[in-house]
Amino acid sequence: MDIFIVNIQGKYLIYAPLHQVIALVNRCAANEILNCLLTGDQTAHEEISTIVERLRRPGEPAPRPRSGDLSEPFFLGIIPTRGCDLGCIYCDFARSNVTRSVMSLDLARNAVDSYLDLLRRAGSSRAEIHFFGGEPFFEESVVVFLVGYAELRATELGIKPRFDVITNGVFSEKTCRWVASHFDTVVVSLDGPGDIQERQRPARNGRSTLGVVLRNLEILANSPAEVQLRACITSDTVARMPEIAEWFGKEIQPGAVCFESLTRSTKSRQAGLFPPDPWDFAVNFVQAMQILEGYGIDTILSTALLDKTNTSFCPVGKDALIVSPDGRVDACYLLEEDWQEKGLDLHLGHLNGQGFEINFEALERARMMNVYAKTLCANCLCRYHCAGACHVNHDTSGLPGHYDEVCIQTRLVTMAGLLKKLDQSQVLEAWLNSRDGLEASVYQETDRLCSLDLML
């Protein structure tokens, strides 16, 4: 049974994502719920009878990996270039050996035609096109051409296109107004107020980028586009997350803020930057979330999204087709050398003059990289949300319950989100202020309710 239970300060948080059940009960109630489910006892106390009844009903089907022919890709991903105009001190993307190549307009046209043809044959009425980098607008002409061409071709086919981009936000006012009128979601990387942004995300010439980014965010805020901020949190900035949140809410007011821990890289180590302590990250994330909530702004940790269930954290395994400037088609937008370093092959095929040439064995290999193959995740209440996190940067081959830094912050933020859904603010505050309590919640060998050891 995918029913999970976690100790929260002597109470028990029950979570069944496929049954859409969240409850906070005492020890006696938890034991009775378990007994009723295991024995079929119909005499549950009135206080828990509703919980038992809902858990007995068939839940939603567990999410399953994709299968069969490639028909409706999760989205079409476009990497116009790996080049970038910033010199972020922790980013390894802009390595000299990958920044020179630029996608040709012929290739961009071919990518759109081939993708829309797949959707037309599948009878789909919606298209999703996402732009990655480097910095997509470092080669602005490719983006402008592809969006315009995709809009034209999709309209001819009766398909509604949607455009998303992850960007540093450093472009001209004219470009920004064009982005505002053509993109549905714009995710802008902004690490915090001036001193943080200027240290971590300077221009390649060393100059500040903050003024341009703030001007463009103001333009985007007054457009139909959904605007999200993505802040990279380090050991130096984790304690400032509430301050960063206050600044975002007061000065920018985006639709959502995504806080993500720094991923270690050669450049980050050279710059003396390190990932934050996961316990500090979780506590400060919740404080930041409460501040942003006051401004009507959503707060996101990508591994702790509770509004959907997944078998894979990212596009890998969902048949996303991510096209590089040289026509390679991959399941992942990270650099090939990074996956190879971890022993992974995420290459799916090529885009040629006849369309996508996808190796079906490679597609199946990507589909098999799902949460059901991750031993670390087998008994974790986050398994259908986090799904093991990044395939490249998170090792999930360990034994169940042997949680690492990524797991710790994901588990804590997930539990905090569930307590917020229950409106248990006092329990949440007391729990966050007890390191012993947090550790007791995290370091469970299994979260599954059917584990009798939890109740003894």
Side-chain angles (χ1 to χ4, degrees):
M1 295 185 293
D2 286 317
I3 304 171
F4 305 99
I5 186 166
V6 180
N7 185 330
I8 303 285
Q9 294 286 85
K11 295 186 177 181
Y12 291 89
L13 178 65
I14 294 176
Y15 181 45
L18 303 180
H19 292 77
Q20 298 183 340
V21 170
I22 311 170
L24 188 68
V25 301
N26 62 25
R27 188 185 194 87
C28 180
N31 268 309
E32 185 169 349
I33 291 169
L34 175 60
N35 180 65
C36 288
L37 293 175
L38 292 179
T39 66
D41 188 344
Q42 301 294 320
T43 60
H45 284 84
E46 183 178 353
E47 293 84 350
I48 63 168
S49 60
T50 301
I51 298 173
V52 173
E53 181 183 352
R54 289 180 63 185
L55 292 175
R56 279 181 173 151
R57 294 175 189 165
E60 297 176 359
R64 303 305 306 172
R66 292 203 177 201
S67 60
D69 294 336
L70 175 65
S71 57
E72 293 185 80
F74 187 44
F75 61 73
L76 172 66
I78 299 293
I79 301 174
T81 178
R82 289 294 191 182
C84 184
D85 45 359
L86 295 195
C88 301
I89 62 175
Y90 50 72
C91 178
D92 267 2
F93 265 37
R95 301 172 194 170
S96 59
N97 61 327
V98 297
T99 57
R100 297 188 201 71
S101 185
V102 176
M103 181 174 288
S104 71
L105 299 188
D106 283 342
L107 183 65
R109 181 188 294 110
N110 191 5
V112 170
D113 286 338
S114 301
Y115 172 57
L116 293 179
D117 187 54
L118 281 173
L119 298 183
R120 176 189 60 79
R121 283 185 278 162
S124 179
S125 61
R126 293 183 62 83
E128 293 264 353
I129 300 179
H130 297 197
F131 291 87
F132 304 98
E135 167 53 42
F137 293 104
F138 195 58
E139 292 297 337
E140 182 180 324
S141 60
V142 178
V143 181
V144 171
F145 169 80
L146 193 146
V147 168
Y149 184 72
E151 288 175 335
L152 177 64
R153 289 288 293 122
T155 300
E156 292 173 353
L157 296 171
I159 295 174
K160 182 175 176 57
R162 177 183 175 85
F163 301 100
D164 291 10
V165 64
I166 300 176
T167 175
N168 59 34
V170 181
F171 35 68
S172 70
E173 181 177 342
K174 178 181 177 182
T175 297
C176 187
R177 295 192 183 281
W178 178 84
V179 171
S181 63
H182 288 83
F183 277 80
D184 297 274
T185 300
V186 182
V187 181
V188 179
S189 294
L190 180 64
D191 289 350
D195 63 315
I196 297 175
Q197 178 75 357
E198 289 170 7
R199 183 195 175 202
Q200 296 185 180
R201 301 183 59 82
R204 296 189 72 175
N205 60 12
R207 293 181 180 175
S208 171
T209 60
L210 184 60
V212 173
V213 175
L214 291 179
R215 180 203 64 198
N216 289 338
L217 281 169
E218 184 175 359
I219 294 170
L220 292 168
N222 292 303
S223 77
E226 177 189 354
V227 180
Q228 296 183 11
L229 299 181
R230 185 190 186 283
C232 178
I233 302 301
T234 72
S235 59
D236 291 342
T237 62
V238 63
R240 297 180 64 183
M241 288 173 71
E243 174 196 344
I244 294 169
E246 182 68 38
W247 186 74
F248 283 163
K250 185 176 180 180
E251 299 296 331
I252 302 171
Q253 298 186 335
V257 173
C258 178
F259 291 108
E260 299 291 345
S261 290
L262 173 76
T263 298
R264 291 178 178 88
S265 69
T266 300
K267 283 193 69 175
S268 69
R269 287 189 288 268
Q270 291 172 346
L273 293 183
F274 302 95
D277 175 88
W279 308 92
D280 291 342
F281 178 92
V283 170
N284 284 290
F285 180 95
V286 175
Q287 293 177 8
M289 177 172 60
Q290 292 167 338
I291 290 168
L292 290 167
E293 192 175 53
Y295 288 97
I297 298 169
D298 292 333
T299 311
I300 296 169
L301 174 63
S302 60
T303 53
L305 299 175
L306 298 177
D307 59 347
K308 58 183 178 180
T309 57
N310 297 298
T311 60
S312 178
F313 160 77
C314 64
V316 173
K318 298 178 182 177
D319 294 1
L321 303 175
I322 300 174
V323 184
S324 291
D326 61 0
R328 287 174 57 94
V329 180
D330 300 314
C332 176
Y333 63 82
L334 297 179
L335 296 175
E336 180 182 9
E337 59 194 86
D338 290 340
W339 349 310
Q340 290 179 339
E341 185 180 319
K342 304 298 172 62
L344 301 176
D345 182 359
L346 301 176
H347 179 55
L348 299 179
H350 289 85
L351 180 61
N352 57 36
Q354 286 71 50
F356 292 114
E357 183 180 322
I358 303 300
N359 182 311
F360 188 74
E361 290 183 1
L363 186 68
E364 284 293 290
R365 183 172 60 243
R367 288 170 171 174
M368 290 174 65
M369 294 177 62
N370 59 67
V371 70
Y372 301 112
K374 297 176 181 288
T375 54
L376 179 65
C377 309
N379 299 322
C380 178
L381 86 164
C382 308
R383 71 190 309 242
Y384 291 132
H385 304 303
C386 168
C390 176
H391 299 281
V392 177
N393 294 315
H394 187 219
D395 181 5
T396 53
S397 62
L399 295 174
H402 289 226
Y403 299 123
D404 61 12
E405 293 180 353
V406 173
C407 301
I408 291 168
Q409 67 182 37
T410 297
R411 285 170 62 76
L412 291 174
V413 172
T414 297
M415 294 173 203
L418 295 173
L419 289 172
K420 280 189 63 65
K421 284 181 177 290
L422 292 172
D423 198 25
Q424 292 285 341
S425 57
Q426 290 184 333
V427 173
L428 176 59
E429 183 177 358
W431 178 64
L432 290 173
N433 286 321
S434 169
R435 177 60 178 263
D436 289 343
L438 296 177
E439 290 187 3
S441 300
V442 166
Y443 291 131
Q444 295 191 162
E445 185 175 345
T446 176
D447 295 336
R448 291 190 178 276
L449 179 62
C450 59
S451 172
L452 289 173
D453 288 345
L454 286 177
M455 298 293 99
L456 295 178

